[in-house]
Amino acid sequence: MAIDNAAALAPAAARHERQEVTGVVTSAKMEKTIIVKVTRMVQHKLYHRVIRVSKKFYAHDEERKARQGDTVRIIETRPLSKLKRWRLAEVVTRSRRAI
């Protein structure tokens, strides 16, 4: 096969920069999966008012470190399942609420 395998064998630095986002864990009830709510501020196109827009991401948590309410940083990765395209990088701050 004459397919260019250079991209497949390229080091991580040669690939595109992976996105990193910070959000709050809304659910940690699944096995090795957390749901992270990421909130960002955007300006309304017509009224120019700054509004909050939220989106939830399913992220892989291999060691089950994150708990509900924790602030975490997640990194874009290859598709791991139907919905998971992110993985947990680190727990930034722990939730103060006892569960």
Side-chain angles (χ1 to χ4, degrees), residues 2-66:
I3 298 175
D4 184 23
N5 288 335
L9 301 175
R15 287 185 241 147
H16 81 282
E17 190 73 23
R18 292 180 188 241
Q19 290 183 4
E20 293 185 10
V21 292
T22 304
V24 178
V25 177
T26 57
S27 174
K29 294 180 180 179
M30 293 177 271
E31 290 286 324
K32 298 184 180 181
T33 302
I34 57 174
I35 300 175
V36 180
K37 181 180 176 182
V38 176
T39 305
R40 58 192 180 92
M41 307 287 269
V42 295
Q43 191 175 35
H44 194 278
K45 290 179 182 177
L46 178 62
Y47 299 115
H48 306 293
R49 182 178 175 131
V50 177
I51 55 175
R52 288 190 186 105
V53 177
S54 297
K55 186 172 180 180
K56 66 179 184 177
F57 296 96
Y58 285 70
H60 185 66
D61 182 8
E62 182 67 37
E63 298 163 6
R64 298 191 60 135
K65 290 191 263 183

